[in-house]
């Protein structure tokens, strides 16, 4: 596939039905217009890319704009839609479930919507979970609560079995709410559907608390995560300042990317050290972390340390690579490790310290979405439904360059998004904390 069409979205077939949504095709009539299939948004907004296209005559790399189409692929009154939530919990899942159900029912008149319990396990009849019939009344209030109304699980199931289940239940579209592993799974389901020449749309809605899905601006739940974490950092600071040489260590989620730790520390600027998976650091030595911490205590008599769960894994000797059900490498507990190493360091120097260790991860990920995330979840859900009804498949509804677009699942799962240590965001973190640029 050439670079110019890498963002093309697969289509199940020609859209032959008129949309039941009464929108406009005329500019200036104060009514929202249908989105045309030819509506595209430029992916790379840099001047360098613009000049490159001018000089070479190449068309810019573009993304397909999200939104309702005038003509749709499915006869909406005969559609059966399914929703599944997979992986770890994250704020906003219930908002997305609610948004999908409401959009299907009220926008398109879809009568049958089923919930798949407990992740991809629910598509394996041997697990015996059955289905949940969904309607507006059943999901009306679920957005007020964290977690997932449908239940979740990690790990995949046999793709053939899952597609058999979809076909036996006459499912026309599957909405999969999840992160990298979930999206890879639903893409594999889509590939098997294509091999069978079946006409089922599969759609991903990007959920990961770590904000590590590549290309897109932000995954839902992330903003709530660092919003909830911020007052915890404030309280940890109060705890640290309440003791002579008080040290608070807060471990936040972030297996491969440190966006929550960094963002929460910027939002609540009482943090003195932020340790993330993207940076390597040493404990020992004149430029190591422990020496920097010692200097901080000498000057201010307290310190607040925020560490992402995936940081510092290189410090563990003889570490064995063990994976969880989703295929993610299980990390050693960097928070407990730091607490022990800091305690030993200052004990050897006869320096009294008071160390408090806080791990609020499971409280944060179960929180209900805040107002901003709630808006985002609803809009993502609506765009996912519009895309599926138009017969698009194997795509994620997402936001890129602050615009809602459709992106192939295969593109966003090629790698994990990480903090650019040379970028402005990380520089802002360093300025806020005052920590050395390098620790080691």
């Amino acid at each position: 596939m050439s670079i110019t069409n890498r963002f093309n979205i697969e289509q199940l077939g020609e859209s032959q039905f008129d949309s039941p949504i009464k929108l406009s095709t005329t500019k200036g009539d104060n009514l929202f217009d249908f989105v045309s299939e030819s509506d595209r948004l430029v992916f790379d907004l840099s001047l360098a890319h613009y000049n490159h296209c001018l000089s070479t005559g190449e068309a810019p790399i573009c993304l397909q704009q999200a939104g309702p189409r005038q003509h749709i692929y499915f006869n909406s009154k005969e559609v059966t839609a399914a929703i599944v939530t997979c992986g770890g919990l994250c704020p906003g899942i219930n908002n997305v479930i609610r948004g999908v159900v409401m959009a299907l029912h009220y926008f398109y008149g879809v009568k049958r919507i089923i919930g798949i319990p407990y992740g991809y396990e629910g598509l394996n009849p041997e697990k015996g979970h059955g289905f949940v019939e969904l309607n507006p009344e059943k999901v009306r209030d679920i957005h007020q609560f964290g977690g997932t109304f449908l239940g979740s699980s990690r790990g995949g199931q046999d793709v053939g079995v899952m597609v058999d289940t979809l076909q036996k239940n006459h499912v026309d579209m599957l909405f999969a709410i999840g992160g990298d592993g979930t999206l890879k799974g639903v893409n594999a389901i889509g590939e098997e559907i294509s091999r069978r020449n079946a006409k089922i749309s599969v759609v991903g809605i990007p959920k990961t608390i770590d904000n590590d899905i590549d290309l897109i601006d932000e995954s839902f739940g992330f903003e709530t995560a660092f919003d909830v974490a911020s007052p915890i950092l404030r309280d940890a600071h109060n705890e640290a300042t309440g003791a002579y040489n008080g040290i608070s260590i807060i471990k936040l989620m972030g297996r491969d990317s440190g966006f929550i730790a960094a963002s929460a520390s910027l939002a609540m600027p009482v943090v003195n050290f932020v340790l993330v998976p993207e940076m390597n650091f040493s404990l020992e030595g004149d430029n190591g972390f422990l020496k920097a911490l010692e200097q901080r205590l000498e000057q201010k008599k307290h310190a607040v340390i925020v560490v992402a769960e995936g940081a510092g894994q290189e410090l563990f000797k003889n570490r064995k690579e063990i994976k969880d059900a989703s295929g993610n490498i299980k990390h050693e507990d960097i928070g407990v490790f730091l607490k022990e190493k800091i305690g030993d360091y200052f004990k050897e120097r006869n320096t009294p310290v008071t160390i408090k260790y806080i791990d609020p991860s499971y409280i944060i990920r179960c929180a209900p979405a805040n107002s901003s995330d709630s808006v985002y979840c609803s809009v993502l859900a609506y765009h996912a439904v519009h895309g599926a009804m138009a017969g698009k498949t194997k795509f994620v509804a997402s936001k890129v360059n602050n615009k809602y677009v459709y992106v192939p699942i295969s593109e966003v799962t090629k790698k994990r998004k990480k903090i650019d240590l040379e970028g402005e965001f990380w520089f802002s973190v360093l300025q806020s904390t005052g920590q050395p640029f390098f620790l080691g």
Side-chain angles (χ1 to χ4, degrees), residues 313-375:
Q313 295 301 303
E314 67 280 358
L315 301 175
F316 294 91
K317 297 179 180 179
N318 303 318
R319 183 166 64 100
K320 295 181 180 179
E321 186 174 296
I322 302 173
K323 295 185 177 182
D324 64 17
S326 297
N328 301 304
I329 297 174
K330 285 188 174 182
H331 289 321
E332 302 288 344
D333 195 327
I334 185 62
V336 172
F337 178 82
L338 280 179
K339 179 183 178 183
E340 293 174 351
K341 292 296 183 181
I342 291 169
D344 292 344
Y345 180 83
F346 287 105
K347 184 177 181 181
E348 290 175 1
R349 287 155 180 76
N350 294 316
T351 301
V353 294
T354 300
I355 305 174
K356 304 294 184 182
Y357 174 55
I358 304 165
D359 182 357
S361 298
Y362 290 98
I363 296 172
I364 292 171
R365 77 176 197 167
C366 291
N370 64 16
S371 296
S372 179
D373 246 337
S374 295
V375 171

Side-chain angles (χ1 to χ4, degrees), residues 160-222:
V161 170
M162 291 193 288
V163 176
D164 286 344
T165 301
L166 294 175
Q167 290 186 302
K168 287 177 182 177
N169 288 276
H170 307 290
V171 171
D172 300 294
M173 53 187 67
L174 172 67
F175 298 91
I177 304 168
D180 184 76
T182 303
L183 296 178
K184 288 178 178 176
V186 77
N187 201 56
I189 290 172
E191 293 290 346
E192 176 62 20
I193 289 169
S194 296
R195 280 191 285 272
R196 299 185 185 191
N197 198 30
K199 301 301 181 182
I200 305 172
S201 169
V202 297
V203 184
I205 304 176
K207 173 229 75 174
T208 166
I209 202 169
D210 295 348
N211 196 36
D212 60 357
I213 296 179
D214 197 32
L215 300 179
I216 70 174
D217 290 356
E218 191 175 289
S219 51
F220 79 80
F222 164 67

Side-chain angles (χ1 to χ4, degrees), residues 109-122:
V110 174
K111 302 302 181 185
R112 185 167 187 246
I113 309 168
I114 59 176
I116 311 296
Y118 303 111
Y120 288 138
E121 282 188 8

Side-chain angles (χ1 to χ4, degrees), residues 29 33 125 149 153 219 221 241 243 264 282 310 338 347 371 374 412 416:
D29 61 358
D33 293 340
F149 169 76
S153 66
S219 51
T241 57
S282 300
L338 280 179
K347 184 177 181 181
S371 296
S374 295
V412 300
R416 297 284 181 93

Side-chain angles (χ1 to χ4, degrees), residues 75-118:
N75 181 350
S76 57
K77 294 181 180 180
E78 298 178 358
V79 160
T80 294
I83 306 171
V84 65
T85 63
C86 307
L89 299 182
C90 173
I93 299 175
N94 283 336
N95 300 67
V96 175
I97 296 171
R98 183 184 188 278
V100 170
V101 172
M102 295 299 187
L104 287 166
H105 182 89
Y106 288 112
F107 299 173
Y108 291 98
V110 174
K111 302 302 181 185
R112 185 167 187 246
I113 309 168
I114 59 176
I116 311 296
Y118 303 111

